[in-house]
Amino acid sequence: MEIKFSGVTKIFQPDIIALEDIYFQMEKGDFVYLVGETGSGKTTLLRCITREVVPTRGQISVGGNLLRKINRFNLALFRRDIGVVFQSFLLLPNLTAFENVAFVLEVMGLPPREISDRVSEVLKLVGIWRRRNLFPPQLSGGEQQRLSIARAIVSGPSLLLADEPTGNLDNHTADEIMQLILGINAAGTTVIMATHNEYIVDTYTHRVVEIHRGRIVRDEEQGRYELHGSC
Amino acid sequence: MAAVRYACRDGWRLIVRHWGMSLLTIFTAMSVFFIIGASTLFVLNVKNIVSSLENQLTIQAYLKPKADAKATEKAIKELPFVKETKLITRDMALERLRSRIGEQAKAVMLLGENPLPESFEIKVKNVSQVAETARLLIAIPEVEDIVYAGRVAEKLARVSSFVEKFSIIMLLVAIAASGVVLFNTIRISVYSREEEIGVMMMVGATSTYVALPFVIQGFILGITGALFASLLLGGTYYSAVTRLKEMLPFIPLIESTRLTGKLAFMLICCGATVSLISSLMAVEKFIRKASKPL
């Protein structure tokens, strides 16, 4: 899924500039790391793509959809093609691991048999099939992150947005999560991953886009983590 | 189709998950619909009593000694509010007097001949039209005098009009109260699932898909409350009627099971409508707010 930001600025009231004059483009199947300090605007940029946030100025086009013009019904259909791994997981505590993933497909109106097959497959893929009947608070941080990824990819989205998917995880678990995400990308899914994890960015090198105070200050292929904006 | 099945399942889950709130809502809806039903029955009975009294209320128009009864009857029937006229001949009047005062009626005959005048008994279409009809009757030249229960007629007319207005106000207040209760219950359910709804909308749930379980929840609660209210009302009403008939047999109370059946049906339809509207309003307001981008 192609993404294009053209002169995007977002100002939150009263005068907090979250993003400023962003020009940014991605092609189908690309992998991009978004790096930058806390509060630099990474999450806002991701939320612009899901249209949780509407730019004050500029245009965003995702998969050919001009987001400013999309209506409520089409927005719902558009979001079904985007998988999101939230920074705080946002798993539903009163649903089991299986149900947490299944409800994404229920929303799409798939029949129970197909849901069961697809959820089983994806839980096996992320390695928590045996924990499927446990509730999120009963899972470890790594398992919750895997579950969050399972939920994001179960519908086979064209775009995966991952906000700090390896935050608070040790390097070994982070490696496992990264293998998963790279596998998803290799299957053709476009991936944008916001991260603070220097180890991951430097180990699995890809295009790096650095944001500093709402502006893109670096965009390089096969980049490294080191933050230039803070220098 | 699968989406509707999931929505029904989720609606049921909402009821079970918040069972305390659900019971409270059913109880409140039941109380409100019971009041609606009871006030409707009260109004219907008052109207039945008033209508029965109205039927008994007549105007007596006495004719002048040599008046032409046929011409007078024609003139009376031409008046706008007259429903029925009946000629009471002098003999009939005497017979009535006899049946009322017995042998003392013979005293009347001491005068030599029957002194009682001919008269017409007149019924009007509506009790509020008695006074006006009496005024028109006295204007007919053949009519010497008229007698009617003027104050009773006026009071009945006032009671009838008050009961009608009171019943409409009562029904509106009760329906609004049930709507508010259901609206608040659904709103609490919606807020208790705020996070879940947020995630649902992020993964592509349409507004209808998000709203449907809450609407189903409200519908089930409202209709259950109305159903229980109908059952309770039926039981209470017939037991009250049985007792009242023993104590006050002369009061004409409604005993038609068809009418109470219709009332139960009306209550259930009312419960369904009010619950659907209030749940839709509660959830729509939230969804509009939740789906508004920053």
Side-chain angles (χ1 to χ4, degrees), chain A residues 43-179:
Chain A
T43 301
T44 304
L45 190 143
L46 294 181
R47 293 178 80 190
C48 280
I49 295 172
T50 56
R51 204 175 175 269
E52 285 175 272
V53 170
V54 173
T56 311
R57 281 194 296 276
Q59 300 266 24
I60 302 171
S61 159
V62 181
N65 297 294
L66 211 54
L67 294 194
R68 195 177 281 281
K69 290 187 177 170
I70 205 161
N71 65 26
R72 202 153 88 173
F73 181 76
N74 286 331
L75 178 65
L77 300 183
F78 162 74
R79 281 177 176 170
R80 290 179 188 177
D81 207 20
I82 301 176
V84 183
V85 180
F86 299 98
Q87 196 168 4
S88 52
F89 308 149
L90 282 184
L91 298 167
L92 303 174
N94 49 3
L95 297 183
T96 63
F98 188 95
E99 289 168 340
N100 258 287
V101 180
F103 100 100
V104 176
L105 301 179
E106 288 178 1
V107 159
M108 295 167 74
L110 298 187
R113 173 67 62 86
E114 192 179 340
I115 291 178
S116 176
D117 290 348
R118 282 171 72 167
V119 174
S120 304
E121 192 185 320
V122 81
L123 286 180
K124 281 174 189 162
L125 179 74
V126 299
I128 52 167
W129 169 245
R130 294 204 302 183
R131 315 279 278 168
R132 66 187 178 280
N133 292 323
L134 298 181
F135 291 91
Q138 296 170 306
L139 301 173
S140 68
E143 285 169 336
Q144 287 189 36
Q145 192 60 282
R146 285 165 188 270
L147 181 57
S148 170
I149 291 170
R151 186 179 62 186
I153 63 171
V154 72
S155 61
S158 306
L159 172 65
L160 179 69
L161 306 176
D163 195 359
E164 299 284 358
T166 56
N168 301 320
L169 298 181
D170 58 69
N171 283 352
H172 175 69
T173 315
D175 275 329
E176 287 179 352
I177 296 292
M178 252 339 267
Q179 292 301 335

Side-chain angles (χ1 to χ4, degrees), chain B residues 48 50 54 111 128 191 198 205 220:
Chain B
N48 194 42
V50 168
E54 275 175 0
L111 296 170
S128 62
Y191 278 98
I220 291 174

Side-chain angles (χ1 to χ4, degrees), chain A residues 2-44:
Chain A
E2 329 75 60
I3 299 169
K4 192 175 179 187
F5 277 57
S6 311
V8 170
T9 296
K10 177 64 189 176
I11 303 169
F12 288 111
Q13 293 302 324
D15 56 356
I16 301 159
I17 301 169
L19 294 175
E20 193 178 357
D21 206 22
I22 299 284
Y23 286 89
F24 168 71
Q25 196 161 345
M26 276 182 85
E27 298 303 323
K28 190 176 174 221
D30 281 0
F31 189 115
V32 167
Y33 290 114
L34 276 183
V35 299
E37 293 169 326
T38 303
S40 58
K42 304 187 295 293
T43 301
T44 304

Side-chain angles (χ1 to χ4, degrees), chain B residues 4-126:
Chain B
V4 175
R5 205 162 55 229
Y6 300 137
C8 290
R9 181 203 62 194
D10 283 355
W12 180 248
R13 269 187 192 166
L14 283 169
I15 292 171
V16 175
R17 197 187 293 168
H18 305 285
W19 62 270
M21 182 61 73
S22 301
L23 280 180
L24 190 66
T25 307
I26 289 174
F27 180 76
T28 317
M30 185 182 81
S31 312
V32 170
F33 287 116
F34 182 84
I35 293 170
I36 294 175
S39 58
T40 309
L41 278 174
F42 174 74
V43 168
L44 289 176
N45 273 296
V46 170
K47 287 196 126 193
N48 194 42
I49 293 166
V50 168
S51 148
S52 143
L53 288 173
E54 275 175 0
N55 279 335
Q56 292 166 27
L57 195 73
T58 55
I59 305 172
Q60 203 79 28
Y62 293 97
L63 306 188
K64 286 178 181 166
K66 285 180 184 171
D68 178 355
K70 276 196 173 174
T72 315
E73 186 173 19
K74 200 181 163 209
I76 294 172
K77 279 186 173 169
E78 278 172 3
L79 296 180
F81 309 127
V82 172
K83 189 169 89 179
E84 209 177 302
T85 58
K86 188 182 173 189
L87 175 68
I88 309 294
T89 62
R90 299 167 71 184
D91 293 343
M92 283 163 77
L94 184 63
E95 198 53 41
R96 278 188 181 182
L97 189 66
R98 268 198 197 119
S99 66
R100 214 175 293 158
I101 62 173
E103 287 305 303
Q104 289 171 355
K106 282 181 183 169
V108 176
M109 298 308 287
L110 291 174
L111 296 170
E113 62 174 273
N114 180 1
L116 300 176
E118 279 189 324
S119 65
F120 278 101
E121 257 181 25
I122 299 146
K123 285 185 179 174
V124 292
K125 289 170 189 162
N126 190 305

